[in-house]
Amino acid sequence: MREVVVIGGGLSGCWAAATAAQAGATVTLVRSAMGATAVSSGALDFVPVADASAAERWLAGLPRSDPRHPYVAGDAAPSLEDLSVEASRLAGALATARLPHRVNLRDPVLVAAITGQLRHAGMVQSTIAGGDLRGVGSIVVAGIPGLARVQPGLVAAAIRERVPRALAVDSCSVSLAVAGLDDAVRADLDDATVARALEAPGGAEAFGAAIRASLGKAQPDRVLLPAVLGVADAPATSARLEAAAGVAVAEMLTPPPSAPGWRLQAACDRVARLAGVGVVNATATRVVRERTRMAAVETGDGLVYPCDVLILATGKYIGGGLRAEPRLHEALLDLPVFVDGQDAGSIGSRDLTERTRFRDQPFAGAGLRCDE
């Protein structure tokens, strides 16, 4: 039986580890801390966000537009059907881990973010997918006093301006009428506090009743909320809230810190463990090499994990996979990093950023080069 060591415990690392374990390998996952997965918005992307509504066309043009892209390295270009099958397999595993997703890469949902931006998403958590703006006639954006980063009136105005058809959009403010929060907390809420309050016994029911009262006689198709429908079991919290409110509710995409990110990281952990992966909470400090192959991984506590295959899933800057000092480099094996096909070692730090707003930043596209 082959021994596989995966370094990195986010979505990529956990899914690689689970896939290897399901193929019959003995798998150890080494991770030091949560990475970018824990701050994700609630949507997963298989193609660039700007091309999500035309994924098949983007894939078809990829061998010409970006022959170095991992999808097409080694002439192994996936079709949209290939990606859809894998996305559905991932969604099935996450659903088993109590985090259902909606998947449709060919016909992605159109959802709103708390910033007022709209985007198409081919794979999104079910509590967010319910906010698909296509085919609905009216929505209400609900804010919570004390949760300052969500301004319902501004979000509603932005949605009204950006939806390319007639859509009745209104806004309201709903007090967090749940027990156990003192006045000081209510005045300075964060997503985690609200999510846990709604998940607690009676929390979703009390907030649902407050939504019903705030709507009055209005009967929108959807109420859009900040992403606060619990952490441990968002679908159950959502169902309780809808029953009390008497209206369909959905979450908006949320930049970090985000409850959807916390949910996804926790579900990834469950996916790996359910597949029989051994998870080690430690920092990988050294890889033992034997000529041209990787033989073992050593952690900071001095333990050594032998391997026939090493999978590197350490991410970029948040996860610590890439470091910028004294030059942009991969942190563990010192593998060369490339920016737009150019070795980052030959690029000055000043040239890794654009001084103009709304331009792609070179450092954000840095990564390792893939072959077949």
Side-chain angles (χ1 to χ4, degrees):
M1 187 177 291
R2 303 189 86 186
E3 291 189 280
V4 175
V5 172
V6 180
I7 305 177
L11 173 62
S12 295
C14 287
W15 189 233
T19 300
Q22 290 161 1
T26 298
V27 185
T28 301
L29 185 149
V30 179
R31 53 106 179 272
S32 58
M34 294 188 293
T37 295
V39 297
S40 55
S41 69
L44 299 176
D45 300 307
F46 288 77
V47 302
V49 172
D51 298 288
S53 58
E56 198 159 27
R57 184 174 62 197
W58 178 82
L59 280 170
L62 192 57
R64 298 185 303 276
S65 64
D66 189 2
R68 292 181 296 266
H69 193 283
Y71 279 174
V72 295
D75 298 322
S79 66
L80 186 59
E81 183 61 28
D82 293 331
L83 290 184
S84 296
V85 167
E86 187 65 8
S88 296
R89 194 169 77 90
L90 172 60
L94 289 171
T96 301
R98 305 197 307 275
L99 188 63
H101 282 68
R102 185 181 300 178
V103 178
N104 194 330
L105 305 190
R106 197 174 296 279
D107 186 26
V109 297
L110 179 65
V111 290
I114 63 170
T115 56
Q117 295 170 303
L118 305 184
R119 58 162 291 188
H120 286 94
M123 182 169 176
V124 67
Q125 292 181 21
S126 61
T127 52
I128 297 171
D132 189 358
L133 296 175
R134 303 170 305 166
V136 297
S138 61
I139 62 171
V140 169
V141 179
I144 301 172
L147 191 63
R149 69 175 182 155
V150 181
Q151 301 294 323
L154 296 179
V155 174
I159 294 174
R160 194 180 301 116
E161 179 181 318
R162 290 168 176 165
V163 172
R165 63 175 180 78
L167 174 66
V169 185
D170 206 346
S171 63
C172 70
S173 183
V174 183
S175 295
L176 188 62
V178 298
L181 296 178
D182 60 37
D183 291 340
V185 172
R186 292 179 190 277
D188 187 20
L189 293 170
D190 58 77
D191 291 18
T193 298
V194 178
R196 293 189 178 100
L198 295 189
E199 208 163 41
E205 291 75 12
F207 190 59
I211 290 176
R212 186 191 289 267
S214 295
L215 292 177
K217 295 182 179 180
Q219 294 183 319
D221 295 325
R222 295 281 186 286
V223 173
L224 299 187
L225 297 168
V228 294
L229 294 179
V231 177
D233 196 345
T237 304
S238 177
R240 291 164 49 205
L241 182 62
E242 287 185 340
V247 65
V249 300
E251 297 175 305
M252 294 178 281
L253 294 173
T254 306
S258 73
W262 304 328
R263 294 173 201 150
L264 180 58
Q265 181 62 63
C268 287
D269 292 349
R270 290 194 289 271
V271 165
R273 295 184 191 278
L274 287 170
V277 174
V279 178
V280 175
N281 294 306
T283 301
T285 54
R286 188 171 75 93
V287 175
V288 179
R289 312 185 198 199
E290 291 180 356
R291 297 189 178 183
T292 59
R293 63 178 291 272
M294 307 301 171
V297 172
E298 184 176 322
T299 57
D301 52 11
L303 297 179
V304 176
Y305 300 89
C307 62
D308 300 301
V309 175
L310 173 67
I311 298 177
L312 195 64
T314 49
K316 286 189 181 182
Y317 308 106
I318 294 176
L322 297 185
R323 292 181 182 162
E325 298 295 339
R327 55 182 172 76
L328 188 58
H329 67 287
E330 186 275 320
L332 186 62
L333 298 168
D334 200 29
L335 297 171
V337 177
F338 293 87
V339 177
D340 197 23
Q342 186 177 355
D343 191 330
S346 64
I347 304 174
S349 57
R350 284 177 168 269
D351 295 322
L352 291 173
T353 58
E354 283 282 354
R355 279 76 170 168
T356 305
R357 292 182 69 192
F358 308 118
R359 294 277 296 275
D360 288 342
Q361 292 294 332
F363 76 87
L368 307 184
R369 180 172 288 175
C370 299
D371 61 17
E372 63 276 9

